[in-house]
């Protein structure tokens, strides 16, 4: 084998890389186990333990937080949690940019563009521009968008193309801002390893939140509007005395109630006494000042001295607030800014709890609002600042709203001989006047920039700012400056965000998915290993098995290096890849057996076996990878996980089966340790050795069988139809598990009236578990609708629940998972699915044409995958009301179709490759005989590959769980139909076309 040294070096380097990336998963598991052991079942203690180590270096210079980011994460279907696709209302953004223009054509064009978006792949702004021009060919977009806010970017003379370019920039800015707002909200929510990313469709953002158990809270959090505000501030010395009084009140109240868990319950009892103490603390100014000065000196002391004079526990009892909140001071002097102090992130909830107590509120000024900074002030991201905000308006509104901001951007400027980041901000005329007044009244003080109730920046005012243009400087990093600019831009974007797709998976369902996935994976691997040893002998079987194990190792390592998320379809993809990986070994072994039967020596037979099988292996792997790429491009969420795993697995199988196993054989041959290897066993010695089946003779019957299935399917499609999932129709799914077996008809009757009859119920997995599907109010984007439907669902099935069950118990315990797909998202998914299948078919045909340079092979391949696809669809329309499991046509079904397109073409490629090889050796031999011989000579390979893949998929089908049963059933059908199509559709059609071409050529020769 050429380049053996390179292959060895590459394999060693890849092994080291995989070990490196996989090590992080073992490290995080070790610390997770330690945390669980320390917590003893208390989730808060476990979280606290992990948080305390998050910034500590625990492995190869990486912190635990970094290790957790580098590990292979489990998807929501395995771990439980929430997956949401949010959509920014682009029409709202455009209306906002036009200052809510009331022109009839303008608003009609927006509505028409929104309607067209469901069936078009074009950008929304391009669609809007087209519709606006269609309504009034002479109208110019500049007449709508040459507003005061956009005067620097759009003039009355701007062309439509220029306006569209500006609108796209502004939309991107709105999306960036929404993305940053959501990211900050999620960080505050406290989810471990969240995933938030922009999607290809403009205005859509994917949010994955593992382990979330409060979906309603998340919905409100993600869909709430973001309000930008400018607030005046207090300086710390102005409120310090009141903070000391609040600290004293807390000490008094907490001393009376030692058990902190009962503080909230007993606040009312202690209120009268607390208010008296508060009055005394405020009126006795001399005593309060003396005490405050004493406390400040105590806080300013070095920590060792404080610990020597007084234990921290005792200090915390006397000063509960200041034990958690470190006052902003230096050398015993109070800081002059708006920052009150600094606190550890783990203490913030307790501080908020203290500040929310009635007794504390009575002591603090009524117009004082304490807000946290959005970003940590230290590298370890442990400490956050608390700011003193002054409420100057009686109605509690900010000094200035963010809607006056027209533009903001970040850039470098030269300051005192060095460059630093500066954020520039522009306001409209109304805002400029208010800003001038506000800055004039607060010279020397800070004005806080607040978004989502968090302080993003609190710059000091040096002079009155007129004209509406301001510059904010500070020690910003480029990222911080860009984030602040995006925050300031948020004020002018009156765009709503709503959920268009949602999946919620409960932890128990996730654990079941892990168990079923691992069991199916392990059993499939064991069966494959046994099969290879039983069919080809112990040594060849073990070498092939070793390649399978290496394939799994490399696949997992590469997935880890991509920081990929492992989903249940991903595990299915890995198991399926095992079956497809065996195909390469089968091809090599079958060719080696042929060479041995031709009388060649073992070493020569192995070398020729690898050499002759290479082109077929290369073609079959490449066609599968092409379908994987199509699947990745058109798919979303778990389907992409499946595609990623399959693509990586195919690359890994090519390396292990074609190169590494050959190195092993050459090493064993060199040591003369393969004397008795024949690549057959007593069981398989005479199996399919010299078959003489006349495949072409049976081609007419071969055409009729799939044609009959397709005709029956077409009739069923017109009468029964397909069982379309909510991916394609829009709607909601809820998997509900009861404490006893239930009947689907009974559950449906209970819910029909509640959900206006728009409901279907099927059993999922076990008789005590059902899936409720409904499209009731799916067009309503009000966030409250989700909770309303959960309430209706609860009221409907209440008779089947234990007496006394509450709505909260129902949603957290009985609802195992939920899914929502909005109408616009469903249309996009359906259109993408149809395009993906058609595109994959043409890709296969184009590749075959490019590879074999013969249109007959290309047409045969296209006909084969088309017949396979149509037959699978026909079986789904014929059987979905008969079989006892869900046979929905949804994203996972399309993933199965695409997988089968890639898989079935493998078999076709192998046969075509043998036909091409035989024609090259015997160009004048009768084509009928050549093709029949090719089909018979590859029959053993076809049998082995189909059987091994069938065994693997059967393992997934039986043990892989109910959620992917429809997916694996489609693949089972595809393996059988695809193999049949190769033998009785693809090859016979290629023969018919070649025969016609040969006859035409012969007739032309005779005519000469």
């Amino acid at each position: 084998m050429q380049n053996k040294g390179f292959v060895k070096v590459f394999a060693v380097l890849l092994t080291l890389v995989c070990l490196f990336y996989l090590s992080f998963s073992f490290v995080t598991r070790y610390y997770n186990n330690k945390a669980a052991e320390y917590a003893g079942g208390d989730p808060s203690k476990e979280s606290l333990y992990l948080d305390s180590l998050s910034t500590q270096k625990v492995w190869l210079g990486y912190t635990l937080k970094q290790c957790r980011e580098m590990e292979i994460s489990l998807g929501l279907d395995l771990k439980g949690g929430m997956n949401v696709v949010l959509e920014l209302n682009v029409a709202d953004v455009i209306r906002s940019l036009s200052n809510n223009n009331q022109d009839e054509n303008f608003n009609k064009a927006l509505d028409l563009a929104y309607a067209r978006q469901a069936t078009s792949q074009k950008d929304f702004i391009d669609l809007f521009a087209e519709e606006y021009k269609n309504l009034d060919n002479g109208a110019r977009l500049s007449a709508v968008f040459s507003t005061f806010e956009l005067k620097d970017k759009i003039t009355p003379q701007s062309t439509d193309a220029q306006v569209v370019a500006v609108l796209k920039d502004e939309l991107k800015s709105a999306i960036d801002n929404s993305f940053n707002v959501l990211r900050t909200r999620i960080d505050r929510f406290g989810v471990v390893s969240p995933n938030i990313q922009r999607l290809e469709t403009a205005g859509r953002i994917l949010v994955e939140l593992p382990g979330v158990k409060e979906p309603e809270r998340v919905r409100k959090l993600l869909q709430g509007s973001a309000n930008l505000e400018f607030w005046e501030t207090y300086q710390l010395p102005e409120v310090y005395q009141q903070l000391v009084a609040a600290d004293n009140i807390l000490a008094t109240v907490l001393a009376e109630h030692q058990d902190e868990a009962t503080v909230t319950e007993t606040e009312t009892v202690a209120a009268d006494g607390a208010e008296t103490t508060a009055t005394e603390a405020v009126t006795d100014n001399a005593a309060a000042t003396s005490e405050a000065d004493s406390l400040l000196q105590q806080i300013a002391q070095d920590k060792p001295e404080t610990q020597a004079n007084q234990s921290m526990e005792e200090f915390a009892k006397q000063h509960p607030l200041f034990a958690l909140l470190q006052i902003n001071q230096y050398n015993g002097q109070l800081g002059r800014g708006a920052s009150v102090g600094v606190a550890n992130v783990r203490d913030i909830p307790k501080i908020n709890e203290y500040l929310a107590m009635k007794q504390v509120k009575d002591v603090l000024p009524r117009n004082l609002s304490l807000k946290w900074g959005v970003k940590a002030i230290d590298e370890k991201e442990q400490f956050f600042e608390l700011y003193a905000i002054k409420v100057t308006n009686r109605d509690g509104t900010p000094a200035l709203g963010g809607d006056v901001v027209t533009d903001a951007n970040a850039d470098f400027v030269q300051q005192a001989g060095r460059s630093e980041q500066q954020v520039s901000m522009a306001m409209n005329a109304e805002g400029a006047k208010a800003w001038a007044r506000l800055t004039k009244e607060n010279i020397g003080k800070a004005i806080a920039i607040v978004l989502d109730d968090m302080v993003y920046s609190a710059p000091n005012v040096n002079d009155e700012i007129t004209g509406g243009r301001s510059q904010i400087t500070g020690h910003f990093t480029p990222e911080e400056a860009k984030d602040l600019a995006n925050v300031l831009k948020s004020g002018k974007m009156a765009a709503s965000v709503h959920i268009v797709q949602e999946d919620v998976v409960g932890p128990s369902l996730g654990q079941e998915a892990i168990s079923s996935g691992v069991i199916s994976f392990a059993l499939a691997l064991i069966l494959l290993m046994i099969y290879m040893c039983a069919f080809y002998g112990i040594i060849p079987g073990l070498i092939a098995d070793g390649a399978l194990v290496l394939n799994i190792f490399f696949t997992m390592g590469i997935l880890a290096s991509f920081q990929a998320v492992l989903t249940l379809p991903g595990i299915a993809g890995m198991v399926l890849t095992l079956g497809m990986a065996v195909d390469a070994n089968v091809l090599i072994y079958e060719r080696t057996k042929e060479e041995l039967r031709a009388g060649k020596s073992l070493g020569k037979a192995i070398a020729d076996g690898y050499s002759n099988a290479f082109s077929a292996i290369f073609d079959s792997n490449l066609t599968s990878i092409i379908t994987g790429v199509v699947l990745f491009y058109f798919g979303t969420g778990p389907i992409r996980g499946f595609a990623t795993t399959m693509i990586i697995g195919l690359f890994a199988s090519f390396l292990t089966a074609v190169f590494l196993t050959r190195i092993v054989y050459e090493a064993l041959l060199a040591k003369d340790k393969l004397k008795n290897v024949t690549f057959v066993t007593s069981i398989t010695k005479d199996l399919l050795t010299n078959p003489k089946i006349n495949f072409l003779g049976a081609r007419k019957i071969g055409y009729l069988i799939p044609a009959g299935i397709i005709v029956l399917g077409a009739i069923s499609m017109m009468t029964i139809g397909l069982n379309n999932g909510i991916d394609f129709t829009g709607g909601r799914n809820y998997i509900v598990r009861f404490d006893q077996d239930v009947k689907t008809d009974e559950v449906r009757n209970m819910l029909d009236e509640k959900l206006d009859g728009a409901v279907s119920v099927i059993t999922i997995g076990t008789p005590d578990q059902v899936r409720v599907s409904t499209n009731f109010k799916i067009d309503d984007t009000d966030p409250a609708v989700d909770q309303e439907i959960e309430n209706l669902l609860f009221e409907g099935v209440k008779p089947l629940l234990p007496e006394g069950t509450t709505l909260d118990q129902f949603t957290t315990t009985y609802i195992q998972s939920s899914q929502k797909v909005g109408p616009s998202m469903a249309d996009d998914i359906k259109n993408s699915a149809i395009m993906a299948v058609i595109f994959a078919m043409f890709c296969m045909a184009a590749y075959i044409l490019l590879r074999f340079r013969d249109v007959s092979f290309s047409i045969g391949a296209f006909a084969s995958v088309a017949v396979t696809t149509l037959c699978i669809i026909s079986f789904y329309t014929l059987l979905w009301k008969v079989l006892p499991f869900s046979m929905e046509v949804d994203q996972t079904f399309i993933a199965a179709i695409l997988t089968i397109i890639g898989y079935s073409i493998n078999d076709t490629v192998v046969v075509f490759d043998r036909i091409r090889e035989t024609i090259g050796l015997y160009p004048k031999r009768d084509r009928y005989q050549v093709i029949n011989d090719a089909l018979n000579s590859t029959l053993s390979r076809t049998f082995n590959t189909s059987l091994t893949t069938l065994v693997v998929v059967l393992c997934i089908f039986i043990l892989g769980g109910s959620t992917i049963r429809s997916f694996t059933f489609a693949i089972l059908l595809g393996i059988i139909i695809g193999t049949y199509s190769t033998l009785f559709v693809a090859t016979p059609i290629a023969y018919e076309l070649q025969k016609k071409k040969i006859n035409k050529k012969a007739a032309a020769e005779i005519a000469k």
Side-chain angles (χ1 to χ4, degrees):
M1 184 179 73
Q2 295 180 344
N3 301 318
K4 188 191 299 183
F6 171 77
V7 172
K8 286 182 178 179
V9 171
F10 180 79
V12 170
L13 291 175
L14 183 59
T15 301
L16 292 175
V17 169
C18 290
L19 284 172
F20 172 74
Y21 281 104
L22 287 172
S23 67
F24 293 106
S25 296
F26 290 101
V27 170
T28 53
R29 179 174 295 181
Y30 169 76
Y31 281 101
N32 287 338
N33 290 337
K34 282 190 70 175
E37 185 181 341
Y38 164 79
D42 185 342
S44 60
K45 279 188 177 181
E46 186 174 342
S47 178
L48 185 63
Y49 181 89
L50 292 172
D51 286 344
S52 67
L53 291 174
S54 63
T55 55
Q56 301 296 318
K57 292 182 178 179
V58 295
W59 177 247
L60 301 176
Y62 288 85
T63 64
L64 182 59
K65 182 181 178 182
Q66 290 170 323
C67 288
R68 293 172 82 171
E69 291 170 352
M70 300 280 278
E71 71 174 336
I72 295 181
S73 301
L74 296 179
L76 302 187
D77 53 354
L78 297 177
K79 188 176 182 179
M82 192 171 184
N83 174 304
V84 170
V85 175
L86 294 154
E87 185 175 68
L88 183 76
N89 193 319
V90 181
D92 279 358
V93 176
I94 296 176
R95 285 192 179 96
S96 175
L97 293 171
S98 72
N99 271 344
N100 293 311
N101 195 299
Q102 298 302 309
D103 177 67
E104 183 180 350
N105 284 342
F106 167 72
N107 288 286
K108 190 175 180 181
L110 285 175
D111 294 338
L112 291 170
Y114 184 79
R116 276 184 62 191
Q117 193 180 35
T119 56
S120 174
Q121 297 300 309
K122 283 188 177 182
D123 183 272
F124 180 88
I125 293 176
D126 289 331
L127 292 174
F128 160 72
E130 288 177 11
E131 292 297 336
Y132 189 71
K133 191 171 183 179
N134 290 339
L135 290 170
D136 187 349
N137 194 32
R140 295 168 61 89
L141 288 173
S142 58
V144 177
F145 294 102
S146 56
T147 61
F148 178 83
E149 288 78 6
L150 294 175
K151 66 179 186 302
D152 294 334
K153 300 175 182 179
I154 297 175
T155 66
Q157 290 74 39
S158 297
T159 64
D160 283 357
Q162 290 171 330
V163 173
V164 166
V166 172
L167 293 180
K168 287 182 177 180
D169 285 342
E170 294 295 319
L171 175 61
K172 183 178 180 300
S173 175
I175 296 169
D176 287 343
N177 174 67
S178 295
F179 181 85
N180 290 330
V181 169
L182 291 171
R183 184 180 59 190
T184 304
R185 289 178 180 177
I186 290 164
D187 288 343
R188 287 163 53 197
F189 195 76
V191 178
V192 177
S193 304
N195 174 34
I196 175 169
Q197 55 185 278
R198 299 170 180 85
L199 299 180
E200 287 84 357
T201 304
R204 285 188 184 157
I205 298 169
L206 169 69
V207 178
E208 291 182 335
L209 306 172
V212 164
K213 300 175 184 178
E214 304 166 280
E216 187 55 37
R217 182 183 163 203
V218 172
R219 291 181 194 120
K220 290 178 180 177
L221 180 81
L222 297 181
Q223 295 183 112
S225 59
N227 297 315
L228 174 67
E229 301 164 339
F230 297 93
W231 293 86
E232 295 184 46
T233 62
Y234 279 108
Q235 292 190 327
L236 175 56
E238 295 176 304
V239 295
Y240 178 64
Q241 300 291 340
Q242 289 88 340
L243 288 171
V244 171
D247 186 52
N248 290 335
I249 289 297
L250 276 171
T252 303
V253 173
L254 296 177
E256 293 174 1
H257 309 284
Q258 292 296 320
D259 186 357
E260 291 186 2
T262 61
V263 169
T264 305
E265 298 174 10
T266 55
E267 273 182 5
T268 307
V269 177
D272 292 339
E275 285 174 8
T276 305
T277 310
T279 305
E280 292 171 358
V282 174
T283 53
D284 192 352
N285 291 330
T289 303
S290 174
E291 185 179 358
D293 292 341
S294 173
L295 178 60
L296 187 61
Q297 291 173 3
Q298 187 178 7
I299 294 172
Q301 291 179 43
D302 290 335
K303 195 172 183 180
E305 293 178 16
T306 305
Q307 290 175 338
N309 296 324
Q310 183 182 35
S311 71
M312 286 304 297
E313 184 178 349
E314 187 62 29
F315 181 81
K317 285 182 180 179
Q318 294 183 15
H319 304 287
L321 179 61
F322 293 140
L324 303 178
L325 181 66
Q326 183 180 339
I327 291 296
N328 182 16
Q329 56 83 31
Y330 181 73
N331 287 339
Q333 299 296 316
L334 291 173
R336 304 299 299 174
S339 173
V340 168
V342 176
N344 193 298
V345 64
R346 66 171 178 265
D347 296 326
I348 289 177
K350 179 58 69 176
I351 294 172
N352 289 340
E353 181 186 327
Y354 287 162
L355 295 175
M357 290 171 64
K358 182 179 183 300
Q359 297 93 327
V360 174
K361 285 184 176 180
D362 288 341
V363 173
L364 296 176
R366 288 187 179 182
N367 65 344
L368 171 65
S369 175
L370 295 167
K371 299 183 187 295
W372 293 100
V374 72
K375 286 192 176 181
I377 61 171
D378 64 319
E379 290 183 359
K380 294 184 176 181
E381 299 181 358
Q382 293 290 304
F383 293 94
F384 289 78
E385 286 186 292
L386 183 65
Y387 291 87
I389 304 299
K390 183 190 289 186
V391 182
T392 53
N393 293 330
R394 289 184 178 181
D395 57 359
T397 56
L400 185 61
D403 57 341
V404 299
V405 177
T406 58
D407 197 14
N409 55 73
D411 204 355
F412 279 103
V413 294
Q414 293 293 324
Q415 291 282 356
R418 61 186 179 87
S419 62
E420 65 174 16
Q421 284 285 336
Q422 173 181 281
V423 178
S424 300
M425 173 178 65
M427 294 182 175
N428 60 25
E430 178 189 352
K433 293 177 183 177
W435 188 240
R437 175 189 54 77
L438 187 61
T439 52
K440 182 178 181 181
E441 293 173 356
N442 286 274
I443 293 174
K445 294 184 177 181
I447 292 179
I449 301 169
V450 178
L451 181 71
D452 263 0
D453 219 32
M454 302 289 286
V455 178
Y456 276 73
S457 182
N460 280 322
V461 178
N462 296 323
D463 297 292
E464 177 187 356
I465 301 173
T466 57
R469 292 190 174 274
S470 313
Q471 285 75 42
I472 304 170
T473 56
H475 300 294
F476 299 126
T477 64
E479 293 77 17
E480 288 170 343
K482 185 178 178 182
D483 285 349
L484 179 56
N486 281 330
V487 166
L488 292 169
K489 285 181 182 180
S490 71
K492 64 172 181 173
M493 295 299 176
S496 58
V497 176
H498 63 276
I499 294 172
V500 291
Q501 185 176 359
E502 172 188 298
D503 292 287
V504 181
V505 181
S508 60
L509 204 63
Q511 189 56 50
E512 289 171 11
I514 292 175
S515 301
S516 58
V518 169
I519 291 169
S520 65
F521 184 84
L523 183 61
L525 182 61
I526 291 168
L527 289 176
L528 278 179
M529 287 180 164
I530 294 171
Y531 184 91
M532 293 302 287
C533 290
F535 209 93
Y536 294 107
I538 298 297
I539 292 178
L542 289 176
I543 291 173
D545 293 343
L548 285 179
V549 173
L550 267 179
N551 182 23
I552 296 166
F553 171 73
F554 287 146
T555 302
M556 293 295 290
I558 296 169
L559 281 172
S561 70
F562 289 163
Q563 296 175 24
V565 176
L566 190 62
T567 62
L568 188 57
I571 293 177
M574 199 175 298
V575 178
L576 183 62
T577 303
L578 288 181
M580 298 170 82
V582 169
D583 181 43
N585 294 111
V586 168
L587 275 168
I588 293 165
Y589 288 177
E590 290 300 323
R591 290 307 295 252
T592 302
K593 283 163 63 177
E594 289 181 30
E595 303 302 335
L596 285 171
R597 285 196 291 269
K600 294 182 181 179
S601 66
L602 181 60
K604 180 64 174 171
I606 290 174
D608 288 350
Y610 274 92
S611 177
N612 293 330
F614 182 85
S615 64
I617 295 170
F618 180 84
D619 287 333
S620 60
N621 276 268
L622 187 57
T623 50
S624 294
I625 287 170
I626 289 170
T627 57
V629 171
V630 172
L631 191 56
F632 183 87
Y633 180 78
F634 287 100
T636 59
I639 303 306
R640 282 193 164 187
F642 169 78
T644 303
T645 306
M646 189 174 76
I647 292 168
I648 293 171
L650 288 167
F651 276 113
S653 73
F654 192 76
L655 171 66
T656 54
V658 176
F659 296 108
L660 298 186
T661 56
R662 186 169 183 179
I663 289 173
V664 173
Y665 276 113
E666 289 182 357
L668 291 174
L669 282 167
K671 295 180 180 180
D672 201 24
K673 292 189 176 182
L674 294 177
K675 288 182 179 178
N676 299 318
V677 172
T678 59
F679 291 92
V680 293
T681 65
S682 56
I683 303 170
T684 61
K685 187 176 181 181
D686 298 317
L687 182 65
L688 298 174
T689 304
N690 288 300
K692 299 292 182 182
I693 302 171
N694 186 1
F695 288 101
L696 292 180
R699 65 184 183 277
K700 290 184 180 178
I701 297 174
Y703 295 151
L704 285 174
I705 293 173
I709 293 171
I710 292 168
V711 169
L712 286 174
I715 295 169
S716 178
M717 186 78 76
M718 290 185 288
T719 54
I720 301 173
L722 287 166
N723 183 23
N724 286 318
I726 65 168
D727 284 357
F728 291 170
T729 61
R732 292 176 174 86
N733 280 340
Y734 298 92
I735 293 180
V736 185
R737 182 178 294 170
F738 296 93
D739 294 332
Q740 72 281 342
D741 293 353
V742 294
K743 295 180 179 179
T744 54
D745 289 341
E746 183 183 0
V747 176
R748 183 171 54 252
N749 290 335
M750 290 176 171
L751 295 172
D752 264 344
E753 186 179 343
K754 298 286 184 184
L755 300 173
D756 286 350
V759 62
S760 68
V761 182
I762 61 170
T763 300
I764 291 288
T766 54
D768 63 340
Q769 188 169 265
V770 298
R771 192 192 65 199
V772 179
S773 301
T774 178
N775 57 9
F776 179 64
K777 287 193 174 182
I778 193 59
D779 292 315
D780 195 332
T781 58
D782 187 342
V785 171
D786 295 303
Q787 195 167 10
E788 177 191 344
I789 292 176
E790 285 179 1
N791 189 51
L792 291 172
L793 189 63
F794 168 64
E795 292 296 332
V797 301
K798 207 170 187 178
L800 299 174
L801 302 173
E803 190 174 346
T805 302
T806 64
L807 175 61
D808 285 343
Q809 289 173 331
F810 174 70
T811 55
T812 56
T813 305
Y814 291 92
I815 294 182
Q816 303 298 303
S817 74
S818 65
Q819 183 185 19
K820 169 188 170 184
V821 180
S824 63
M825 192 74 181
D827 287 335
D828 286 351
I829 292 171
K830 183 165 60 179
N831 293 330
S832 294
I834 294 168
M835 287 183 62
V837 172
I838 295 171
F839 185 64
M841 286 183 180
F842 279 105
C843 279
M844 295 300 100
Y847 179 77
I848 296 296
L849 181 61
L850 185 68
R851 192 77 174 86
F852 291 93
R853 307 285 181 177
D854 191 327
V855 73
S856 65
F857 287 145
S858 183
I859 293 172
F862 184 83
S864 176
V865 294
V867 164
T868 303
T869 301
L870 291 173
C871 282
I872 295 172
I873 293 171
S874 297
F875 276 116
Y876 263 65
T877 184
L878 289 165
L879 300 175
W880 71 269
K881 287 193 173 183
V882 178
L883 293 180
F885 55 87
S886 169
M887 293 181 67
E888 283 189 342
V889 175
D890 54 14
Q891 283 193 90
T892 55
F893 174 79
I894 297 301
I897 292 291
L898 290 171
T899 304
I900 286 303
I901 288 173
Y903 174 81
S904 64
I905 207 75
N906 288 359
D907 202 23
T908 307
V909 164
V910 171
V911 174
F912 286 176
D913 191 66
R914 182 61 65 91
I915 293 170
R916 179 178 59 178
E917 182 183 330
T918 309
I919 291 172
L921 293 171
Y922 311 103
K924 294 186 178 181
R925 184 178 289 182
D926 180 58
R927 195 57 53 90
Y928 188 93
Q929 182 187 348
V930 167
I931 292 178
N932 256 335
D933 288 348
L935 285 167
N936 280 284
S937 62
T938 56
L939 192 60
S940 180
R941 175 265 165 198
T942 300
F943 173 79
N944 276 326
T945 300
S946 298
L947 188 59
T948 52
T949 312
L950 202 66
V951 166
V952 166
V953 178
L954 268 173
C955 290
I956 312 173
F957 178 74
I958 296 168
L959 302 171
S962 58
T963 54
I964 59 169
R965 192 150 288 150
S966 176
F967 169 79
T968 48
F969 183 69
I971 292 180
L972 280 174
L973 288 175
I975 292 168
I976 298 167
I977 299 167
T979 304
Y980 177 93
S981 295
T982 296
L983 299 173
F984 294 103
V985 178
T987 313
I989 286 176
Y991 165 71
E992 303 273 14
L993 293 171
Q994 288 186 15
K995 179 184 174 184
K996 190 178 288 185
K997 184 179 178 182
I998 291 168
N999 291 340
K1000 190 176 180 180
K1001 187 176 180 182
E1005 289 291 333
I1006 293 170
K1008 288 181 180 178

